[in-house]
C-alpha cells in the first residue's frame, strides 16, 4: 500500500474512500470508514438518530412507530440532553410565518462566503432571535457539562449540527452548508478551551509520542521519499516547500475546525505548487503524498494529533467526507499513519541501514554529499569575502597614507606662512621703534633750544637793569 520502488509512497483512490463503499472519504482514525459510517458502527443502537432528511439515493429514511418508540426508550439519555438544549425531546418546530421564512432565506442567501461578521449580525436580527437563543442555550449547557468525556461532547455537538440544519431543510444545499460553517465557527470558537485536548483522552501523550517520532526521522531526505526537488543548477533561495511548512504549523493557532481544515487545504496547495515547479509539470497524487510526508517531517507541527482529532470530533461531517478539504485531510491522515509505521523497506533501505540512521550512526549519502557541497560553497564564499576584505584594507591604507601626506603638506605650508608673518611683524616692530627714537631726539633738541633762548632772555634783562 505504502511504497513503490520507483515512485516511493503510493495510495490508490480506492484506499482513500470509505470501506463501507458509501462514496465518501474514509480516514485511518476511523479504521478506514467515513465519519457517518463510523458513528453508525460505534454508536449504540439506542442512540441511532431518526434522520428526517433524504438519503443519498433520494429515498427518505423512515421508521415505523414501533421502531421509533423502541429507539426512544433505549436512547433516553440522548433525548435527555436534547431536552436540556431544546426544551423538548425532538427538534423544535418552526413557528415563523412564511413571510418571515422568506425574508430569512433572502437574508441568508445574500451572505458572502466567509462573511462571519455578517452572519453574526443576521443571527442577532429579530427573524433569527430564536436561533440565537438556541445557540446560546447549547453553549451554556456544554460549558456546564464540560467534564463529560470528549466523545460524549462530540456526539452532542454533532447532534446539535444536525438539529440546527433541520431548521433550514427547505433551503438550497449550498446555503445550508454555508450557514452550518458559520454555526460551527460560532460554537467551536467558544467551546475550544473546554474540548480541545480534553483530560478524558490521551491526546497530549500521543502528541508527545508523535513529535518524538518525527524528530527521530529528521535524517529522512526528499530523495528517500522520491520527492522531486530542485537540482543544483537551480538558484536555491530556500526550501521550495517552506510555504507549506509554515501553513501547516499555523494550524495549531486556529480554533474553529474549518479554519484548521483551511490550513490543511492551503498547505496541500503549496505542496502541489512546489512539486509542479520542481518537475516543471503538474504533480500527481503519488508525488503529492510523498511531498506531504516530507512537509510533516520538516515542520513537526505542534499538537498535530490533537488538532486532527479536534477536527474529526467537532468538524462538520460534509467537510471531512467529501470535497477538496476532505481529500486533503484524508491524505494528511495517511501521511501521519505512514510516518508512524515508517520502516526501512518504505524508504528502500535495509533494516540494518534504517536502524543505523535511527541511531544516528550514519548520515544518508545524499545528506553527506549535500553537507560537503554546502561546506565547500561556504568556504568559497568566505575566501571571496576575505579577498574583498584584504583589497578593501589595502585601498584604505593607500587613502590613509595620502591623507597623512596631505595633512603634513598643509601643516608645513601653514608653518612657513607663520614664519613669514612673524618676520613681517618683527620688521614692523623695529621700524616703529626707530621712528619713536628719532621723534624723541627731535623733541629733545627743541627743548634745549627753548631753554637757551630763555637763558639768553634772562641774561639780557639783567644787563638792562644794571644800566
Amino acid at each position: 500500500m505504502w511504497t513503490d520502488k520507483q515512485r516511493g509512497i503510493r495510495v490508490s483512490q480506492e484506499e482513500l474512500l470509505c470501506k463501507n463503499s458509501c462514496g465518501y472519504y474514509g480516514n485511518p482514525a476511523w479504521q478506514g470508514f467515513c465519519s457517518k459510517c463510523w458513528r453508525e458502527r460505534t454508536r449504540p443502537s439506542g442512540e441511532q438518530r431518526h434522520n428526517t432528511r433524504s438519503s443519498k439515493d433520494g429515498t427518505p429514511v423512515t421508521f415505523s412507530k414501533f421502531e421509533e418508540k423502541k429507539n426512544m426508550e433505549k436512547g433516553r439519555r440522548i433525548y435527555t440532553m436534547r431536552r436540556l438544549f431544546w426544551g423538548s425531546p425532538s427538534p423544535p418546530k418552526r413557528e415563523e410565518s412564511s413571510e418571515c421564512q422568506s425574508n430569512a432565506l433572502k437574508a441568508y442567501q445574500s451572505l458572502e462566503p466567509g462573511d462571519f461578521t455578517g452572519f453574526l449580525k443576521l443571527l442577532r436580527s429579530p427573524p433569527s432571535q430564536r436561533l440565537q437563543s438556541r445557540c446560546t442555550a447549547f453553549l451554556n449547557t456544554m460549558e456546564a457539562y464540560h467534564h463529560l468525556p470528549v466523545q460524549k461532547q462530540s456526539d452532542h455537538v454533532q447532534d446539535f449540527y444536525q438539529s440546527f440544519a433541520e431548521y433550514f431543510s427547505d433551503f438550497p444545499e449550498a446555503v445550508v452548508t454555508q450557514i452550518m460553517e458559520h454555526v460551527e465557527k460560532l460554537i467551536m470558537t467558544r467551546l475550544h478551551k473546554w474540548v480541545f485536548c480534553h483530560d478524558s483522552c490521551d491526546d497530549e501523550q500521543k502528541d508527545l509520542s508523535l513529535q518524538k517520532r518525527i524528530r527521530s526521522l529528521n535524517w529522512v531526505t526528499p530523495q528517500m521519499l522520491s520527492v522531486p526537488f530542485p537540482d543544483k543548477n537551480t538558484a536555491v533561495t530556500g526550501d521550495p516547500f517552506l510555504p507549506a511548512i509554515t501553513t501547516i504549523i499555523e494550524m495549531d493557532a486556529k480554533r474553529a475546525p474549518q479554519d484548521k481544515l483551511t490550513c490543511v487545504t492551503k498547505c496541500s496547495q503549496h505542496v502541489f505548487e512546489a512539486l509542479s515547479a520542481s518537475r516543471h509539470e503538474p504533480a500527481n497524487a503519488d508525488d503529492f503524498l510523498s511531498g506531504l510526508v516530507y512537509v510533516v517531517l520538516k515542520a513537526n507541527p505542534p499538537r498535530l494529533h490533537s488538532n486532527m482529532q479536534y477536527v474529526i470530533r467537532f468538524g462538520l461531517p460534509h467537510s471531512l467526507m467529501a470535497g477538496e478539504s476532505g481529500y486533503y485531510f484524508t491524505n494528511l491522515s495517511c501521511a501521519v499513519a505512514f510516518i508512524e509505521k515508517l520502516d526501512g523497506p518504505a524508504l528502500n533501505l535495509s533494516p540494518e541501514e534504517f536502524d543505523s540512521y535511527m541511531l544516528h550512526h550514519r548520515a544518508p549519502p545524499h545528506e553527506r554529499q549535500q553537507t560537503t557541497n554546502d561546506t565547500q560553497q561556504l568556504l568559497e564564499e568566505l575566501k571571496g569575502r576575505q579577498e574583498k576584505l584584504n583589497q578593501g584594507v589595502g585601498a584604505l591604507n593607500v587613502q590613509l597614507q595620502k591623507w597623512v601626506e596631505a595633512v603634513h603638506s598643509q601643516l608645513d605650508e601653514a608653518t612657513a606662512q607663520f614664519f613669514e608673518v612673524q618676520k613681517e611683524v618683527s620688521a614692523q616692530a623695529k621700524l616703529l621703534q626707530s621712528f619713536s627714537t628719532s621723534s624723541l631726539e627731535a623733541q629733545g633738541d627743541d627743548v634745549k633750544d627753548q631753554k637757551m633762548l630763555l637763558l639768553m632772555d634772562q641774561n639780557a634783562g639783567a644787563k638792562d637793569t644794571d644800566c
Side-chain angles (χ1 to χ4, degrees), residues 116-117 119-120 124 135 138-140 142-143 157 160-161 180-196 253-260 310 314-315:
F116 183 65
T117 303
F119 170 77
L120 293 180
R124 297 189 184 100
C135 292
F138 177 76
L139 287 171
N140 293 336
M142 287 295 296
E143 291 182 4
V157 170
F160 175 79
Y161 288 159
M180 292 309 300
E181 288 178 353
H182 292 315
V183 172
E184 180 211 80
K185 189 169 186 176
L186 171 65
I187 295 299
M188 296 315 303
T189 301
R190 285 276 303 272
L191 297 181
H192 178 270
K193 63 180 179 180
W194 300 112
V195 300
F196 183 81
K254 307 299 180 181
R255 292 191 175 186
Q258 62 176 286
D259 292 338
K260 294 182 183 293
Y310 178 75
F314 302 101

Side-chain angles (χ1 to χ4, degrees), residues 42 67 86 127 202 290 344 380 403 430 464:
T42 56
E67 290 176 340
W86 301 98
D202 57 349
S290 300
E380 292 178 358
W403 179 78
K430 291 179 179 180
D464 289 341

Side-chain angles (χ1 to χ4, degrees), residues 294-423:
Y294 172 74
V295 167
V296 174
L297 289 175
K298 292 290 290 184
N300 197 0
R303 302 191 293 186
L304 178 58
H305 175 80
S306 294
N307 281 292
M308 294 178 62
Q309 289 298 316
Y310 178 75
V311 173
I312 289 172
R313 292 165 182 158
F314 302 101
L316 291 172
H318 75 270
S319 299
L320 300 177
M321 293 164 56
E324 189 179 44
S325 60
Y327 174 77
Y328 290 144
F329 188 80
T330 301
N331 276 272
L332 177 61
S333 301
C334 292
V336 173
F338 173 80
I339 292 173
E340 292 176 341
K341 300 177 181 179
L342 184 62
D343 55 7
L347 301 175
N348 294 327
L349 299 175
S350 65
E352 293 76 13
E353 291 176 331
F354 182 82
D355 294 338
S356 179
Y357 288 137
M358 291 294 290
L359 296 174
H360 300 284
H361 291 167
R362 61 186 297 182
H366 298 289
E367 184 176 347
R368 293 197 300 268
Q369 183 65 31
Q370 184 66 31
T371 303
T372 303
N373 295 337
D374 293 342
T375 304
Q376 184 66 27
Q377 184 179 1
L378 181 60
L379 290 175
E380 292 178 358
E381 290 182 2
L382 291 176
K383 183 178 179 181
R385 293 170 63 180
Q386 183 67 33
E387 291 177 355
K388 291 181 180 180
L389 182 61
N390 293 334
Q391 294 176 0
V393 171
L396 182 60
N397 289 331
V398 172
Q399 294 178 0
L400 183 61
Q401 185 66 28
K402 291 181 179 179
W403 179 78
V404 171
E405 293 176 356
V407 169
H408 284 299
S409 176
Q410 293 177 2
L411 183 60
D412 294 340
E413 184 179 354
T415 303
Q417 292 178 358
F418 174 76
F419 286 139
E420 291 179 0
V421 171
Q422 189 175 15
K423 290 179 180 180

